């Protein structure tokens, strides 16, 4: 019996286009000024050091790091240091009302239904936990953070690695076959299934003909009580 649902964000609850044409360009535009103004902040310094380590340039200057980070944004690299900085940069955009977190219209009714059924709801995204809370806290549908019991980012491991899903199950405190993972990316679903989780793939735009996972087009088609 399913007792918890863990959902991806980009391509699952929210449009990839929102992430790639609103969030990423905003972070790209404000990155240099943000890190120059905030390099003494402990969180910013930790993220910059993580990028130094990831890029193999322990002595990289701030200008070099900015160039590296812009390259990471353009490659959509799931760099934990970049993801931490993006979350910090996006905060101002949400607070100033420059954008709200995109949600497909089928998402909120389904989350509310599942919560009423007593299911635990969780998020697992490559975006930092702070960025996840911003997206759902300043969403198109208002503040949805109270719907979720927890958030996971790549601090538990990368999304295509099976051990990440074992780590999440342990933190949630449920057996793997009591958890359903929702994602648009079949390699992420493969890793979750390998850990013993149930899986459903969201096909929001392009078809995926090589996936072996149950596919739906929106959240209204997901019936955890029937799994
Ligand atoms: C948390 S909102 C920003 C999404 C993001 O930065 C990202 O890399 C999307 O990753 P996901 O794992 O949700 O596909
Ligand atoms: Mg996704």
């Amino acid at each position: 019996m399913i007792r918890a649902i863990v959902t991806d964000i980009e391509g699952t609850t929210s449009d990839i286009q929102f992430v790639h044409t609103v969030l990423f360009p905003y972070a790209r535009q404000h990155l240099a000024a943000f890190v120059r103004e905030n390099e003494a902040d402990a969180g910013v310094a930790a993220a910059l050091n993580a990028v130094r380590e990831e890029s193999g340039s322990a002595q990289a200057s701030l200008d070099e790091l900015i160039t590296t980070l812009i390259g990471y944004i353009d490659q959509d690299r799931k760099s934990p240091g970049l993801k931490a900085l993006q979350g910090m940069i996006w905060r101002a955009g949400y607070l100033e009302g420059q954008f709200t977190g995109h949600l497909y219209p089928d998402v909120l009714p389904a989350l509310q239904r599942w919560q009423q059924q007593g299911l635990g709801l969780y998020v697992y995204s490559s975006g930092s936990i702070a960025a996840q809370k911003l997206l759902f806290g300043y969403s198109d549908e208002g503040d949805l953070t109270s719907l979720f019991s927890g958030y996971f980012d790549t601090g538990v491991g990368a999304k295509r690695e099976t051990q990440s899903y074992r780590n999440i199950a342990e933190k949630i405190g449920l057996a793997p076959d009591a958890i359903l993972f929702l994602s648009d990316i079949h390699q992420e679903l493969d890793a979750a299934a390998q850990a013993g989780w149930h899986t459903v793939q969201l096909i929001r735009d392009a078809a995926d003909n090589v996936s072996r996972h149950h596919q739906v087009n929106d959240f209204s088609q997901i019936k955890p009580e029937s799994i």
Side-chain angles (χ1 to χ4, degrees):
M1 187 171 98
I2 299 299
R3 295 186 53 200
I5 295 180
V6 179
T7 184
D8 166 55
I9 295 179
E10 181 188 298
T12 300
T13 62
S14 308
D15 194 341
I16 291 172
Q17 290 307 311
F18 166 68
V19 176
H20 287 257
T21 66
V22 177
L23 290 183
F24 288 174
Y26 183 91
R28 196 181 195 285
Q29 184 187 342
H30 292 89
L31 182 105
F34 179 84
V35 297
R36 287 198 177 103
E37 280 166 27
N38 297 286
E39 65 173 315
D41 173 87
V44 173
L48 292 174
N49 282 334
V51 175
R52 282 192 178 93
E53 193 171 323
E54 181 176 352
S55 63
S57 312
Q59 306 303 325
S61 67
L62 206 51
D63 282 349
E64 289 167 333
L65 286 173
I66 289 166
T67 302
T68 299
L69 283 160
I70 296 288
Y72 285 0
I73 293 175
D74 292 346
Q75 299 157 26
D76 189 13
R77 184 169 168 130
K78 306 299 186 185
S79 154
L82 168 65
K83 292 292 154 189
L85 291 168
Q86 282 177 323
M88 297 177 211
I89 295 166
W90 291 329
R91 173 170 296 280
Y94 284 110
L95 291 178
E96 290 166 9
Q98 306 256 359
F99 44 77
T100 52
H102 178 265
L103 270 196
Y104 286 109
D106 47 276
V107 171
L108 179 57
L111 293 176
Q112 289 170 328
R113 176 163 47 87
W114 297 334
Q115 189 184 51
Q116 281 162 12
Q117 290 173 350
L119 301 180
L121 302 177
Y122 298 86
V123 180
Y124 180 32
S125 170
S126 306
S128 69
I129 290 172
Q132 298 171 24
K133 289 179 176 173
L134 285 167
L135 189 145
F136 289 111
Y138 296 87
S139 85
D140 294 347
E141 313 267 4
D143 182 358
L144 308 187
T145 51
S146 64
L147 287 168
F148 295 104
S149 300
Y151 301 82
F152 300 98
D153 61 15
T154 55
V156 296
K159 293 181 75 186
R160 299 184 185 198
E161 287 176 10
T162 299
Q163 186 59 43
S164 307
Y165 298 87
R166 296 195 184 109
N167 294 342
I168 293 173
E170 192 178 324
K171 285 175 185 290
I172 294 176
L174 286 175
D177 70 351
I179 308 174
L180 172 63
F181 182 49
L182 311 179
S183 176
D184 58 323
I185 304 293
H186 72 252
Q187 292 91 339
E188 297 174 3
L189 296 163
D190 289 346
Q194 191 67 33
W197 293 27
H198 294 271
T199 57
V200 170
Q201 183 174 23
L202 274 295
I203 304 293
R204 295 291 191 177
D205 300 310
D208 179 351
N209 297 321
V210 297
S211 168
R212 63 188 178 84
H213 301 276
H214 178 63
Q215 297 182 334
V216 298
N217 297 114
D218 67 59
F219 275 35
S220 72
Q221 299 167 340
I222 302 168
K223 309 284 181 212
E225 62 276 16
S226 305
I227 293 174

